[in-house]
Amino acid sequence: MEALKEMVLQISILSLITGVITSLKPYGKFTPQLKLFTALIMFTGILSPFFSSIKNINTDFDCNITPEKNVQELNAAADEAVLRLAEDELERELKLKLAEEAVPCSEIEVNMNTNEDESINISNVTIISTKPAEAEMIIRNELGEEVEIYAEENY
């Protein structure tokens, strides 16, 4: 609040100074230069409280290094989030593929995990459809033979 009061006071004083300067100028001469000069004075007057507050910033930062355990927890959480996003995206794509083939599907659940080399592996896919055999065949053609596919009939 004090910085705002200081800024208003400075702007008021600078406005008076620029008014006096513009009234003392010769008629029609130096108008562009005077406008530039008064604009710079007003600009520095407006910014000066911010510059003074920058000097008061505490530079004694606490730079503790994050323990290894916290880093591992963050990495695990990030890996888990990536897996969930990949599962959601694959579920959406498989629903679109089944819709293109006119196979009704009420639910698709994809389960993924990461391998030791940190690659993503599709462990299984569960499909609930009124045409489970057709849905399983379409999904198997898309994902390959190594993926376990469970197709359940929806009544």
Side-chain angles (χ1 to χ4, degrees), residues 51-135:
F51 292 135
S52 64
S53 64
I54 288 175
K55 288 189 284 186
N56 297 331
I57 293 176
N58 184 7
T59 57
D60 189 21
F61 298 117
D62 185 17
C63 296
N64 288 337
I65 298 174
T66 306
E68 184 68 27
K69 183 179 178 184
N70 289 346
V71 171
Q72 290 173 349
E73 289 174 1
L74 287 173
N75 284 339
D79 290 344
E80 188 66 27
V82 167
L83 274 177
R84 296 305 142 241
L85 288 171
E87 287 174 352
D88 292 343
E89 185 63 30
L90 184 58
E91 288 171 5
R92 198 171 17 259
E93 290 298 319
L94 292 175
K95 282 182 183 179
L96 285 173
K97 182 63 177 173
L98 290 174
E100 286 176 4
E101 300 289 331
V103 175
C105 173
S106 62
E107 186 178 335
I108 293 181
E109 182 180 327
V110 175
N111 291 315
M112 294 181 169
N113 55 26
T114 53
N115 295 331
E116 291 175 2
D117 62 351
E118 297 196 17
S119 63
I120 296 177
N121 181 29
I122 303 170
S123 41
N124 62 51
V125 177
T126 303
I127 308 163
I128 299 175
S129 174
T130 55
K131 300 178 182 178
E134 292 177 30

